[in-house]
Amino acid sequence: MKKTSTRLADGRELVYYDLRDDTVRDAVDRRPLDRTVTTSEVRRDVLLGDSVAIASHRQGRTYHPPADECPLCPSQGERLSEIPDSSYDAVVFENRFPSLAGDSGRCEVVCFTSDHNASFADLTEEQARLVLDAWTDRTSELSHLPSVEQVFCFENRGAEIGVTLGHPHGQIYAYPFTTPRTALTLRSVAAHKEATGGENLFDAVLERELADERVVLEGDHWVAFVPYAAHWPYEVHLYPKRRVPDLLGLDEDARSEFPKVYLELLRRFDRIFGEGEPLTPYIAAWHQAPFGALEEFEGVNRDDFALHLELFTIRRTPGKLKFLAGSESGMNVFINDIRPEAAAERLREVASS
């Protein structure tokens, strides 16, 4: 992997990640852009103990542009985009309309391929490995920013999810705090460790899932399963078999196997609902240990956390979506319409030949 960092016309950072070491990236952003101005701030909810990002400037962000005006495609002739060069393998840049900025963190866009009509599942294993390396590099770089406590790499796919740009891409949020979801998990890890005299909760969960009927696919270094208490109709958790706190902890064997396992998982998601159905909308979310202090989680350190990816769809059956209604949105109590065991069986059925 070759990494080339440059600046866009308004001062935002852009980083090319190339498969070839001899690739030259010297294209200049020719757009007449003013410096980006954001109004992002983080406010604490004292009742719930969590934080909310207020980012009113995002109301003006690009919204479902036609394909020939896509800001994530390479620049061609006088059609100038967020990527100055006329081609790329993978690229990361600071979001022009960030939810978090400055002392409130940072938001980046990750373009998986220059092919506008592709999806992550269409990538080759070599391309998917490049994206994994880009995620890892950005996690490392962002973790050194003084305002950042946790790095979250994720992909939203599909208009049903709320995606406003059709180009295959994901995002990275660098939070100035430990997210509520992670904090809740760490409290459970701490309680389990104390109650069992030192056992790791992630290890216990993985051991149980490996022995059960909800495993979807398994390699030498990764395992994917539908969790016992799945929240979503089709939800799969992907774990490295060797516990590591973040993407930086993966060894070469796990990195080499990841593309094959993950691409197969994504392709199965696209076959869940049968032929002729639109591509399955999904969210793919990497969960990594915070880089900030963990004193509030007594007895827990970063190595107690287990890196994993959670992949889920809001579609519950052909033509029908799972909406977060009163119980889910009002009380955070999910009601799943599909038994996790049935979901796992379906995902095994649609394995590629």
Side-chain angles (χ1 to χ4, degrees):
M1 178 189 78
K2 181 181 180 182
K3 174 184 174 182
T4 306
S5 179
T6 184
R7 292 282 172 180
L8 296 174
D10 55 7
R12 289 175 293 133
E13 184 180 20
L14 179 143
V15 184
Y16 294 99
Y17 293 91
D18 286 296
L19 293 168
R20 292 173 54 96
D21 290 337
D22 59 354
T23 303
V24 176
R25 298 294 184 189
D26 55 8
V28 176
D29 185 3
R30 294 181 284 127
R31 297 173 297 170
L33 297 180
D34 294 327
R35 282 257 173 200
T36 301
V37 178
T38 67
T39 58
S40 178
E41 62 174 309
V42 173
R43 296 185 180 181
R44 182 124 179 117
D45 185 323
V46 296
L47 291 177
L48 295 180
D50 60 12
S51 299
V52 177
I54 309 296
S56 57
H57 63 278
R58 285 175 53 79
Q59 287 282 33
R61 65 188 185 274
T62 308
Y63 186 79
H64 292 297
D68 60 357
E69 296 178 16
C70 174
L72 306 185
C73 287
S75 293
Q76 298 289 340
E78 294 306 309
R79 193 186 71 78
L80 306 179
S81 73
E82 289 280 70
I83 295 89
D85 216 325
S86 59
S87 67
Y88 64 85
D89 292 331
V91 69
V92 177
F93 60 89
E94 288 184 75
N95 198 323
R96 192 176 178 188
F97 303 97
S99 300
L100 306 165
D103 293 338
S104 297
R106 174 158 156 155
C107 293
E108 298 183 338
V109 177
V110 185
C111 297
F112 305 137
T113 171
S114 60
D115 184 352
H116 181 84
N117 297 312
S119 70
F120 201 117
D122 296 321
L123 301 183
T124 65
E125 290 186 17
E126 184 181 34
Q127 289 174 306
R129 169 60 190 266
L130 181 65
V131 175
L132 174 64
D133 290 342
W135 282 330
T136 304
D137 180 71
R138 297 317 301 161
T139 296
S140 176
E141 292 289 332
L142 293 171
S143 71
H144 289 97
L145 296 179
S147 64
V148 172
E149 283 198 17
Q150 187 172 2
V151 179
F152 175 47
C153 307
F154 65 100
E155 179 192 1
N156 299 329
R157 188 181 78 168
E160 300 95 327
I161 297 293
V163 175
T164 57
L165 296 176
H167 196 102
H169 73 288
Q171 299 181 66
I172 302 175
Y173 276 22
Y175 297 102
F177 50 80
T178 296
T179 62
R181 174 73 175 272
T182 303
L184 186 61
T185 301
L186 287 170
R187 292 188 189 102
S188 296
V189 170
H192 184 84
K193 189 174 184 179
E194 181 179 7
T196 59
E199 183 182 64
N200 183 273
L201 180 58
F202 284 107
D203 292 350
V205 167
L206 191 56
E207 181 180 0
R208 182 182 70 179
E209 295 292 356
L210 280 167
D212 219 314
E213 59 182 310
R214 290 179 299 278
V215 172
V216 174
L217 59 89
E218 182 178 356
D220 293 332
H221 306 282
W222 294 85
V223 60
F225 57 87
V226 178
Y228 172 76
H231 289 55
W232 300 92
Y234 289 94
E235 174 183 342
V236 176
H237 294 190
L238 178 62
Y239 275 70
K241 290 184 176 179
R242 182 178 69 87
R243 173 165 44 92
V244 295
D246 52 40
L247 289 165
L248 283 72
L250 293 174
D251 60 22
E252 182 55 34
D253 288 337
R255 292 181 182 281
S256 295
E257 187 181 73
F258 171 78
K260 180 179 180 180
V261 174
Y262 187 48
L263 290 172
E264 170 63 16
L265 189 58
L266 291 180
R267 289 161 187 167
R268 291 191 192 191
F269 254 59
D270 281 338
R271 292 192 289 269
I272 295 174
F273 301 105
E275 296 295 330
E277 283 294 310
L279 292 178
T280 302
Y282 66 72
I283 293 175
W286 280 110
H287 292 259
Q288 306 191 80
F291 289 95
L294 299 179
E295 285 87 354
E296 65 178 292
F297 311 106
E298 189 173 349
V300 171
N301 56 54
R302 294 193 77 249
D303 290 334
D304 289 318
F305 193 88
L307 166 76
H308 61 285
L309 181 141
E310 297 186 6
L311 174 69
F312 62 88
T313 179
I314 63 170
R315 187 179 292 163
R316 55 187 175 87
T317 193
K320 296 180 181 179
L321 301 180
K322 163 67 176 177
F323 292 101
L324 298 189
S327 185
E328 292 91 351
S329 295
M331 282 295 170
N332 200 29
V333 177
F334 276 68
I335 301 169
N336 193 345
D337 301 314
I338 299 177
R339 291 187 75 246
E341 292 75 16
E345 182 178 5
R346 175 59 180 159
L347 285 162
R348 289 192 295 268
E349 289 175 350
V350 295
S352 58
S353 57

